[in-house]
Amino acid sequence: MSNFIVKKVAVLGAGVMGAQIAAHCINARVPVVLFDLPAKEGAKNGIVLRAIDNLKKLSPAPLGNPDDAALIAVANYEDDLELLSGCDLIIEAIAERMDWKHDLYGKVAPFIAPDAIFASNTSGLAITALSQGFADDLKARFCGVHFFNPPRYMHLVELIPTSATRPEIIDQLEAFLTTTLGKGVVRARDTPNFIANRVGVFGMMAIFHEAEKYGLSCDVVDDLTGAKLGRAKSGTFRTADVVGLDTMGHVIKTMQDFLPDDPFLPIYQTPAVLSRLIAAGALGQKTGAGFYKKVGRDIQRLDFASGEYVAGGGKADDLIGRILKEKDPAKRMKSLRDSTNPQAQFLWAIFRDAFHYIAIHLEAIADNARDIDFALRWGFGWQMGPFETWQGAGWKEVALWVKEDIAAGRALCAAPLPAWVFEGPVADNGGVHAKAGSYSPAKNDFVPRSQLPVYGRQLFRAPLLGSAAENGKTAGITVYEDDSVRLWHQQDEVLILSTKTKMHVIGAGVSKGLAQAIAEAEKNYQGLVLWNADAAEGGAFSAGADLQAMLPLFMSGGVNAIEPEVAKLQQAHQALKYAGVPVVAAVSGLALGGGCELMLHAAKRVVALESYIGLVEVGVGLIPAGGGLKEAALRAALAASGNDLLQFLKHYFTHAAMASVSKSAHEARKMGYLTRDDVIVFNPYELLHVAKVEARALSAAGYRPPLPALLPVAGRYGMATIMAQLVNMRDGGFISAHDYKLGAMIAEVVSGGDVDQGSLVSEQWLLDLERRAFMELLKHPKTQERIMGMMQTGKPVRN
């Protein structure tokens, strides 16, 4: 057995995709060289340098830490081709022109190392045609790799081998993409636009067609086809604007040119409205106008009839909203089909069109139905793939409805559904996904998921309706469970605590569960992991304290009734910190307020790249009181190590006072919420595996909790210095009087209170300062306004 380790990557092409692919390699700490043409004027590498500089300005940010832009090596095709020989993976990402790509390949091929993988990041060009002219050895190491934009955030990568590509090359690349870059890999056949764009863009074209048929405006269509369907909230027309209407036109043109025998060919014709917009240079978001146009603070929509922009804001009918809230997918689909409402008929039509299309094209574009569902979920932001939706709504009945519409001429083409839809394994199973795997027409059987070793790191892989796979909410052996927490294990030596509250907020039940988890782990296990089952599917680690749970206490006993619960939370976090076994926090998504404090008290943190961490209590007029400020003071003292403590303390004070939230795990480390020893994980499906590995490693190394110690604080000197800056901000109108009060209280706690500079205090001293300040604020009318505003609207009140 030999390892394939990508020590260095070369990216050819510093355009939008190439530069962002390079940026994501740097996020993953993979050295990368970014190539482009030599500049005609100025610095030879000017094109690449400008592209790297632009990475710092893009939103959403391609880099987890903008400072890391400096880590991207720059190169040009004239002077630096020899650098390719030191790269294990070369990704070409230039414009979608076959002739340009072939010209570049001729230049770079002699410099590619004999064991390196060469891949083209193309959205739809034929990979076999791209490899023409290569020597056999390079053909065997060449494939397509299609990242979705933006590469940091989009989970999907399509891998496209040719008949000449060695299977082990694809396996190696899939492993690298999955664990190092954190992607969901789908293998596609070498057909035009591969899987996601082929099906997704057809779906958009069908929506355009059906919207015209039913006379629906683009804003109404977007409301119907966005979050209400469990798809990207931007819907259809706004998504086209974001992608770029010229880009969409290119994808459509590829389908027109290379799919002449497709029964759906008439639908691939570029809509007249799209052609007019492209001709006018209205390419969507990047040009300021497309199907939508921002005018002042208003967003106007294109009126298809007049070609003018008019007031937008159209919404789905209330009836449709009620239908789509029906929990039973079979009843929901039947209601849409049976309704005479034009919007309901439109929705049934686009579902029917999608089911018809994927059934006819499954065998040609993918190995099995699973790849189509994951491609649409990971590449287009759908909560459920089209085959999952069909199966969930009742496979046989929906198939008969589609067949009936085809026969009646209501479908987009007359091609019949394939025989496998109605007979054989799929019909017997009631759909394409089963416990044994997903249906492959070529094999006429269900094929299991990939068993590459890299997937052993995903203890619970991406769920798929009908697969009956284990999930983290019910798997394993439950030790204890109530409405707030579940303690469980996987028949090994690590106990897992999963919170069950909405957004995993922390209330009395979670605090009690923490105490139970620590006691159980110390008695029977080698470690404890804090992990939530929806971590990989966009769930939060914890959105903070449960404000709703405070209301009954407040109503029954007033503000003073809340103080004992705050003390219990502080002690629960302290017990976590000083537990006799290592506690590892497996963090993904939001870790805000109390969630951040919970994480800070673990022995170690394993954190997904897309984690958004911060102490945000000032947003509800409070200060952190679960030990967050105590930990800030402690970390500042450790970092200062005898130097000017205040300089380190200001860093932590500012983040708490401004309610700063990290935009990535890398930024959380820069902000001080993560240490150098904490682990950043790129694939959220690997989070639990890595956390358990770290817990076992700490235990095997003879883990002992830290010894309680006194820490030096900045005292009155620190408070006075920070508050002088707050006075200037208040008097300059930058913060309100209540913001000033909040800042002053945070300054008091992190500075250790009214003591001399350099005084040694205990953690409990700081916790008491936190709690007293918290209780004082809780009685303040301005804080109560902020709390009620947040609970009613979900948005912070500035007062």
Side-chain angles (χ1 to χ4, degrees):
M1 179 180 176
S2 61
N3 287 336
F4 174 74
I5 301 173
V6 177
K7 296 179 180 178
K8 184 180 286 188
V9 172
V11 177
L12 310 180
V16 173
M17 285 300 290
Q20 292 195 66
I21 291 168
H24 194 56
C25 288
I26 289 297
N27 287 336
R29 296 302 181 255
V30 179
V32 65
V33 186
L34 182 59
F35 281 81
D36 212 301
L37 295 165
K40 294 179 179 178
E41 297 179 0
K44 205 83 173 279
N45 291 317
I47 294 174
V48 177
L49 290 169
R50 284 191 293 273
I52 292 173
D53 187 57
N54 192 52
L55 289 172
K56 305 173 192 176
K57 305 170 187 175
L58 292 177
S59 179
L63 289 158
N65 178 359
D67 296 341
D68 288 344
L71 300 176
I72 301 174
V74 300
N76 67 77
Y77 304 130
E78 190 173 289
D79 300 330
D80 304 310
L81 289 178
E82 67 277 0
L83 294 176
L84 293 173
S85 63
C87 298
D88 309 288
L89 172 63
I90 295 97
I91 300 173
E92 170 270 305
I94 68 170
E96 295 283 80
R97 283 273 301 268
M98 186 79 72
D99 54 341
W100 290 0
K101 290 178 186 285
H102 277 153
D103 181 60
L104 178 61
Y105 295 172
K107 292 178 183 177
V108 302
F111 298 90
I112 296 175
D115 295 321
I117 296 175
F118 188 25
S120 174
N121 179 65
T122 174
S123 60
L125 294 180
I127 306 304
T128 301
L130 285 173
S131 70
Q132 288 176 0
F134 286 175
D136 289 346
D137 179 60
L138 187 54
K139 273 187 181 180
R141 293 180 282 120
F142 181 75
C143 65
V145 56
H146 180 206
F147 287 84
F148 274 64
N149 190 22
R152 169 183 161 186
Y153 301 93
M154 297 303 291
H155 192 58
L156 178 66
V157 172
E158 292 176 315
L159 266 185
I160 311 98
T162 72
S163 59
T165 309
R166 292 204 312 268
E168 64 268 26
I169 292 294
I170 297 298
D171 291 349
Q172 290 168 346
L173 189 50
E174 181 167 349
F176 169 76
L177 292 166
T178 299
T179 196
T180 304
L181 298 190
K183 297 303 172 188
V185 174
V186 165
R187 297 193 185 190
R189 300 200 192 283
D190 189 10
T191 55
N193 293 335
F194 313 129
I195 297 175
N197 276 345
R198 176 76 175 272
V199 177
V201 172
F202 163 78
M204 294 176 75
M205 299 299 293
I207 287 171
F208 288 1
H209 177 89
E210 302 291 0
E212 182 179 9
K213 177 180 176 181
Y214 289 99
L216 303 181
S217 61
C218 58
D219 50 354
V220 170
V221 168
D222 283 350
D223 191 49
L224 286 167
T225 61
K228 286 183 171 65
L229 287 193
R231 300 181 183 179
K233 63 181 181 181
S234 52
T236 302
F237 290 97
R238 195 177 300 278
T239 295
D241 273 358
V242 171
V243 169
L245 302 190
D246 53 340
T247 301
M248 187 172 178
H250 171 80
V251 175
I252 295 169
K253 185 69 164 55
T254 301
M255 296 168 87
Q256 294 169 5
D257 292 346
F258 296 101
L259 296 169
D261 300 323
D262 193 313
F264 290 88
L265 181 63
I267 303 303
Y268 300 157
Q269 300 310 304
T270 307
V273 63
L274 183 61
S275 296
R276 287 197 299 269
L277 287 170
I278 294 172
L283 306 180
Q285 186 171 279
K286 59 188 173 186
T287 61
F291 289 110
Y292 294 92
K293 181 179 181 180
K294 188 171 184 181
V295 179
R297 294 188 175 182
D298 297 327
I299 302 294
Q300 296 186 344
R301 66 167 175 87
L302 184 71
D303 179 72
F304 296 142
S306 68
E308 302 295 324
Y309 290 96
V310 299
K315 299 291 184 183
D317 292 345
D318 290 341
L319 169 67
I320 306 304
R322 291 195 295 272
I323 290 174
L324 294 178
K325 287 180 181 177
E326 165 61 53
K327 292 184 178 180
D328 185 331
K331 290 181 180 179
R332 188 165 61 241
M333 192 67 73
K334 188 175 190 305
S335 295
L336 291 174
R337 182 176 183 271
D338 291 348
S339 174
T340 58
N341 182 291
Q343 293 182 11
Q345 293 175 338
F346 162 78
L347 287 175
W348 158 248
I350 66 171
F351 279 123
R352 175 203 65 216
D353 298 340
F355 301 156
H356 191 188
Y357 191 82
I358 58 177
I360 285 176
H361 291 297
L362 171 58
E363 184 168 5
I365 67 175
D367 175 68
N368 61 77
R370 176 177 56 246
D371 290 338
I372 287 182
D373 278 345
F374 282 146
L376 271 294
R377 279 168 50 177
W378 296 338
F380 277 73
W382 294 14
Q383 288 180 7
M384 291 185 69
F387 276 121
E388 289 180 288
T389 302
W390 183 353
Q391 185 163 336
W395 182 269
K396 294 179 181 179
E397 187 169 31
V398 171
L400 290 172
W401 291 342
V402 175
K403 182 179 179 180
E404 181 182 316
D405 276 13
I406 295 170
R410 291 188 289 267
L412 294 181
C413 81
L417 291 171
W420 60 259
V421 170
F422 298 102
E423 58 191 41
V426 171
D428 294 342
N429 178 66
V432 293
H433 302 306
K435 189 172 183 179
S438 296
Y439 183 70
S440 168
K443 300 179 178 67
N444 193 32
D445 202 356
F446 297 97
V447 297
R449 296 175 79 158
S450 170
Q451 295 302 307
L452 286 176
V454 68
Y455 293 112
R457 298 170 59 85
Q458 298 184 15
L459 302 185
F460 301 102
R461 296 172 71 171
L464 197 68
L465 186 142
S467 67
E470 280 194 325
N471 67 80
K473 292 183 179 180
T474 57
I477 297 174
T478 300
V479 175
Y480 172 82
E481 185 170 13
D482 61 18
D483 290 340
S484 297
V485 300
R486 179 182 177 227
L487 305 183
W488 58 288
H489 62 85
Q490 294 180 287
Q491 296 184 307
D492 58 20
E493 65 279 9
V494 178
L495 184 66
I496 303 166
L497 169 65
S498 298
T499 54
K500 297 170 56 181
T501 52
K502 184 178 181 181
M503 296 288 284
H504 306 291
V505 292
I506 301 169
V510 173
S511 294
K512 177 186 171 186
L514 282 170
Q516 288 179 278
I518 292 165
E520 179 67 25
E522 288 180 333
K523 183 178 179 181
N524 294 312
Y525 299 88
Q526 293 180 11
L528 171 64
V529 166
L530 313 179
W531 175 83
N532 295 321
D534 58 357
E537 302 293 322
F541 175 70
S542 172
D546 187 354
L547 294 178
Q548 293 283 356
M550 288 187 183
L551 279 178
L553 283 172
F554 179 77
M555 297 301 291
S556 62
V559 170
N560 292 335
I562 293 173
E563 185 166 9
E565 297 305 316
V566 177
K568 287 178 184 177
L569 177 64
Q570 290 181 337
Q571 295 315 308
H573 286 169
Q574 287 296 93
L576 203 69
K577 180 174 181 176
Y578 291 104
V581 295
V583 179
V584 177
V587 179
S588 182
L590 299 177
L592 303 178
C596 177
E597 292 175 309
L598 177 64
M599 175 200 84
L600 289 174
H601 286 82
K604 195 164 192 174
R605 286 141 292 276
V606 172
V607 184
L609 176 69
E610 301 308 330
S611 296
Y612 312 105
I613 300 169
L615 298 171
V616 297
E617 284 82 355
V618 296
V620 288
L622 294 167
I623 71 164
L629 297 182
K630 177 263 298 180
E631 285 297 303
L634 179 61
R635 292 184 179 209
L638 291 172
S641 188
N643 296 311
D644 183 4
L645 173 59
L646 185 58
Q647 295 307 310
F648 293 89
L649 194 62
K650 282 181 180 179
H651 173 79
Y652 291 96
F653 163 81
T654 301
H655 292 315
M658 300 298 292
S660 301
V661 176
S662 73
K663 297 180 180 66
S664 71
H666 285 315
E667 192 169 70
R669 178 174 280 160
K670 185 179 178 182
M671 293 168 70
Y673 292 127
L674 303 182
T675 71
R676 288 188 175 276
D677 291 334
D678 292 331
V679 179
I680 297 176
V681 172
F682 277 70
N683 196 317
Y685 291 102
E686 297 182 356
L687 200 61
L688 180 57
H689 165 79
V690 178
K692 291 177 70 174
V693 167
E694 292 294 330
R696 291 191 195 98
L698 286 169
S699 177
Y703 175 81
R704 299 289 300 175
L707 293 172
L710 301 178
L711 62 142
V713 292
R716 287 183 291 271
Y717 165 71
M719 289 169 55
T721 304
I722 294 173
M723 290 176 69
Q725 296 176 354
L726 289 172
V727 168
N728 291 336
M729 294 179 70
R730 181 195 62 192
D731 293 349
F734 297 104
I735 60 174
S736 69
H738 198 54
D739 289 327
Y740 171 80
K741 182 176 181 65
L742 291 163
M745 287 187 156
I746 292 172
E748 179 182 5
V749 176
V750 297
S751 298
D754 188 14
V755 297
D756 293 336
Q757 181 183 9
S759 295
L760 299 176
V761 303
S762 67
E763 291 184 50
Q764 189 59 50
W765 171 272
L766 295 172
L767 289 171
D768 291 343
L769 288 176
E770 276 188 3
R771 192 175 66 258
R772 285 198 294 268
F774 182 90
M775 296 308 301
E776 180 182 335
L777 286 167
L778 202 54
K779 298 172 185 177
H780 199 291
K782 293 287 188 182
T783 286
Q784 291 175 8
E785 283 179 22
R786 291 194 182 189
I787 291 173
M788 293 308 297
M790 177 64 75
M791 291 173 65
Q792 290 170 1
T793 68
K795 297 179 181 179
V797 173
R798 292 301 173 201
N799 56 5

